[in-house]
Structure formats: C-alpha cells, structure tokens
Amino acid sequence: MTRLRTGGVRAAIGAVLALALTGALAGCSSTGGKRAEDARKAAAAQGRAAVDTPRWTFAMVTHSGDGDTFWDIVQNGAEQAAAKDNINFLYAHSDEAQQQAQLIDSYVAKGVDGLIVTLAKPDAMKAAVEKAVKAGIPVITVNSGAAQSKDFGALTHIGQDETVAGEAVGEELTERGRKKALCVLHEQGNVGHEQRCAGAGETFDGELVNLYVDGTNMPDVKASIEAKLQADKDVDAVVTLGAPFADAAVQAVRSTGSKAEVDTFDLNAKVATALADGTLGFAVDQQPYLQGYEAVDLLWLYRYNADVLGGGKPVLTGPQIITKDQAAELKKYTERGTR
C-alpha cells in the first residue's frame, strides 16, 4: 500500500478545499453579478435609476443647429446615462457661438451640478466655461475643443482627435486610389472642421481642396458642390464633414454626371444604408452616443466619488472607418438612434 507523507495529505486537502471555495465564490459572484445586471436592465426598462445617489442636475450645451441628427445621437446617449444615474438632464443648443455662451451662463445662474459643453468656437466659450468652473460647477467638454479643454478648467474632454480623424481619411482616400478630393466644410470658424480637412491633406497622396458651404441651407450645399464638380472634372472624391450633408453630395454627383466617390464623417441610419448599397464609399464614426453617455457618467462619477478619467488627456471615442463590410451589422444600432 502506498503511504502519503503528512505534508502531502495536507497539501491534497488544501487543494480540495481551495477548489471547493473557488467554485463556491465563483457561483456566488456569477449569481450576484447576474442579479445586479438583471436589476440594472429592469430599472432601465422602467425608466428608473440604477443608483440611489442624490438627484443632481446636469446640463449640456452644444453648437448643434436645428435638425442635425448627429446631436440627436449625442443627446440619446446623455439621456440614457442620466436615467441610469438618477440625473435631471437639461439640454440646449445653438449654432451661434454667442448664444451658446449665453446658454452656458444661464445654467451657471441656475446653479446646475455639472455642465457638458462643446468648444467648436473656443474663443467665444472661454469666459462662460471659466465662469462655471469658478462657480464650482464641474465641466466636461465633448466633441470639439480638446486642445482648449484643460486650459479652460474642464475635468476632461470626450471625443475624437479631429486631426487624427482627418489623417485616417487621407490614408483611406490614398488606399482607394483617389487623386483629387473636395473637403466640404459646412460651418465656417469651426476649429474641428478645419482640423479634419488639414489632417486629411497631410496624409492624402493626392490633392485636397477645401470647399466652404452654408450648412444651414442644404440646397446651397448641393449647388456649391455641383458648381465645383462642373468646374473641375478631376475631382474623384467628395468628403463631407457630417452625415446630413452626405446625401446632398450624392445628389450633386448624380446631377453633374461625376464619377466622384462620396465619403463622410459620422454615421446615421441613412449613411449605413448608403454604405451597404455602395452609394457611399466609407464613413468615419466618432461614436456620438458614447460622447453623450460617457460625459454624463463621468460627471456622475466625479460628483459621487471624485473620479476623473483621461489622466489629463482626452478620452477618445474615434475615429473608426466604416465601410460596406460593417454597415449591415451597425444598421440596427443606427435605426434605434445609438450609432
């Protein structure tokens, strides 16, 4: 008969106990985790908060114009995070920089518990943001103004690096063999738009030409692109800087008989469909839902636990190049307003 040494018996018993304990803990963890997740889902489905923290009020002020579907997606993300975090969420927007600053001032006067702002025209926003910070209101910037965010006193910035996004576009255009591209800027003075086109020009092996249009007048956008395509037959790519403008570019290409490929920044249901059927070449997704959702969530974390993400650097949500191959998979998310 084989005899075990005392140390061996103890080791064997210890191993069995450890295995049993690990299994028990795993079972408890799995069960507890599932219960917690089920509770969160049930709360979300019923519009109830998943936390019991105070009902703070957070406000978001963006540079959106009326009818811009991109900002609908940002707002959707923010509202869903607010419901989860027991937040009273307020939203206002203006494509006029001075009015945007006034909206920020009005929320500061109301004494909101947190602010989310965009810095498309940072010089006009500086005083308003600094006033909020001085009043003790934590601020997070989203989408635009990453370079100015920290200097203005914001906790962090959430969005994509516009120069990096533009560089990704330039590389994609080069890979597709394009030789001359239009970069259609629909909002003059928007620093993010300028950075996108400049970035694309840096990495594009062909020639890139900026075309400024009035983004508040879609017929004018279409007419401006048509005029440029008629005047320059060498243009073989048109890049728009927002999803709503991609359709106007497609119409302009068709009406002029141009063979130019239309590509765009940002994603929505219409863009996903156009990518799937080959009407558009590619889209650059910066995940606007994440920008709204994470901004509210990070403000909640700061109020609740003094947490700050980013380590002084922007929290990036893009860019991601979307082509026909990914469009079908993402279409269901665009239809529900989260991509």
Side-chain angles (χ1 to χ4, degrees):
M1 179 169 52
T2 304
R3 297 178 62 185
L4 291 174
R5 290 176 297 176
T6 303
V9 173
R10 289 175 178 166
I13 293 172
V16 171
L17 289 174
L19 182 61
L21 181 59
T22 300
L25 289 175
C28 291
S29 176
S30 175
T31 303
K34 185 177 187 305
R35 286 175 181 164
E37 181 61 22
D38 288 345
R40 282 192 293 269
K41 288 180 178 178
Q46 298 171 26
R48 294 187 289 107
V51 297
D52 60 359
T53 47
R55 189 162 175 76
W56 293 308
T57 295
F58 296 165
M60 174 182 278
V61 182
T62 75
H63 63 275
S64 169
D66 293 331
D68 191 330
T69 56
F70 176 91
W71 292 103
D72 292 341
I73 301 171
V74 175
Q75 190 175 349
N76 285 344
E79 288 175 345
Q80 290 189 26
K84 173 181 69 69
D85 293 339
N86 192 32
I87 298 301
N88 176 36
F89 178 72
L90 307 176
Y91 179 81
H93 67 92
S94 175
D95 55 5
E96 295 293 332
Q98 193 57 44
Q99 290 182 17
Q100 189 185 350
Q102 290 171 358
L103 288 168
I104 294 172
D105 286 341
S106 71
Y107 283 133
V108 172
K110 289 179 180 178
V112 297
D113 301 297
L115 265 174
I116 302 160
V117 303
T118 62
L119 301 178
K121 298 174 181 176
D123 290 345
M125 298 298 109
K126 187 174 188 290
V129 173
E130 290 179 341
K131 182 178 180 180
V133 173
K134 187 176 181 179
I137 299 172
V139 177
I140 286 179
T141 60
V142 298
N143 182 260
S144 52
Q148 295 82 12
S149 178
K150 186 175 181 180
D151 290 342
F152 287 8
L155 298 176
T156 193
H157 178 83
I158 303 171
Q160 72 179 3
D161 185 302
E162 303 292 18
T163 299
V164 172
E167 290 170 350
V169 168
E171 291 168 358
E172 185 70 18
L173 290 171
T174 298
E175 188 173 322
R176 288 167 175 264
R178 302 297 157 178
K179 302 301 180 185
K180 189 169 187 178
L182 290 183
C183 195
V184 183
L185 298 94
H186 60 268
E187 185 182 348
Q188 290 200 30
N190 186 318
V191 293
H193 290 183
E194 297 287 349
Q195 289 167 346
R196 290 178 182 182
C197 291
E202 285 295 319
T203 56
F204 181 37
D205 287 348
E207 180 184 356
L208 186 135
V209 179
N210 285 358
L211 177 65
Y212 293 90
V213 299
D214 179 4
T216 64
N217 185 339
M218 204 60 76
D220 178 75
V221 174
K222 177 175 176 288
S224 297
I225 297 173
E226 284 175 338
K228 189 64 178 178
L229 292 175
Q230 289 168 341
D232 192 345
K233 303 297 183 183
D234 292 335
V235 173
D236 59 4
V238 178
V239 179
T240 60
L241 301 187
F245 305 95
D247 189 54
V250 168
Q251 293 178 38
V253 166
R254 287 174 177 167
S255 67
T256 59
S258 171
K259 300 299 181 183
E261 174 183 279
V262 178
D263 308 302
T264 190
F265 280 78
D266 302 334
L267 186 69
N268 61 17
K270 198 165 189 177
V271 167
T273 299
L275 287 169
D277 65 22
T279 302
L280 295 178
F282 67 89
V284 185
D285 187 19
Q286 59 174 306
Q287 303 184 101
Y289 177 86
L290 273 185
Q291 293 178 16
Y293 191 98
E294 291 302 324
V296 169
D297 229 18
L298 293 189
L299 274 181
W300 176 84
L301 284 166
Y302 181 78
R303 297 292 316 201
Y304 173 65
N305 205 45
D307 289 318
V308 179
L309 286 184
K313 302 291 184 181
V315 178
L316 299 182
T317 62
Q320 179 183 10
I321 299 292
I322 306 296
T323 65
K324 183 176 184 177
D325 294 338
Q326 298 87 35
E329 178 186 357
L330 296 178
K331 191 172 186 296
K332 61 184 178 182
Y333 303 126
T334 65
E335 289 172 347
R336 74 182 186 189
T338 57
R339 286 297 288 263

